[in-house]
Amino acid sequence: MFVGMNDAKDILQATLEIAQKVGWEKVSVRGISKEIGYSTIKIYSDFGSKEELLFKIQQRGFAILRTAYTKATEQFDLPEEMLESIALVHIRFALQHPMYYELMFDYKFNSCKSKSAKTKREVGNIIYEVIQQITQVNSRIAFLQFYAMLYGFIQITKDFPHKKDFDMEATTIQFVRNFINGIR
């Protein structure tokens, strides 16, 4: 049981931890209630549903990512360096917070019609605007290519069998540089 819980933020954190243990599909408001010692009525009155809990977790994750993207772009003057920095931030986030990442980006949890889709687009606009500064081709297509490559790279990185022999940061920078050369 989680002790010392006193607000919605704690409920969200506990829910995220439970999801990490059992998977989101097996999370229920009743199970959350039992695990954290709150009544289901309290959770329903604060959030309304399991879907609303998911949305709040997604919002929280996207806020973390937005802040990190913004810091990444503020450190550099050249858009190429900004894009490298954003990619590193994104991959670090995915590897350090795998449950957040899954709930934010996996198609099962984040359809284009979900409440979080608008937030996802707003955060993605940071990447899009950087790509616009680099490319002479269709920025929208370049953004989609970058995002697909980044998502795929993360999936491969999570399962990479020889992580000790793998320099994730150097590989990421090279992947971004190759991407940039391709869109110029």
Side-chain angles (χ1 to χ4, degrees), residues 98-120:
M99 182 52 60
Y100 262 126
Y101 192 80
E102 180 180 343
L103 296 176
M104 291 162 58
F105 290 99
D106 192 291
Y107 72 93
K108 296 179 288 191
F109 308 113
N110 198 349
S111 73
C112 60
K113 295 181 181 179
S114 71
K115 287 172 71 174
S116 64
K118 179 182 178 199
T119 306
K120 183 179 180 181

Side-chain angles (χ1 to χ4, degrees), residues 31-85:
I32 296 166
S33 170
K34 183 179 178 184
E35 183 74 24
I36 64 177
Y38 277 15
S39 72
T40 55
I41 294 169
K42 166 72 173 146
I43 296 171
Y44 278 119
S45 70
D46 285 357
F47 295 99
S49 67
K50 177 181 168 180
E51 289 74 26
E52 191 64 24
L53 278 166
L54 173 60
F55 173 62
K56 295 296 184 187
I57 289 169
Q58 290 170 331
Q59 276 190 314
R60 192 183 206 195
F62 283 121
I64 293 167
L65 206 50
R66 175 186 290 125
T67 299
Y69 282 177
T70 301
K71 286 181 184 177
T73 59
E74 291 172 348
Q75 294 176 5
F76 300 100
D77 294 325
L78 297 175
E80 295 83 358
E81 292 173 327
M82 291 178 195
L83 196 60
E84 288 175 6
S85 185

Side-chain angles (χ1 to χ4, degrees), residues 167-178:
D167 186 343
M168 186 272 301
E169 300 218 356
T171 305
T172 301
I173 290 170
Q174 189 59 55
F175 134 64
V176 174
R177 288 178 182 169
N178 291 345

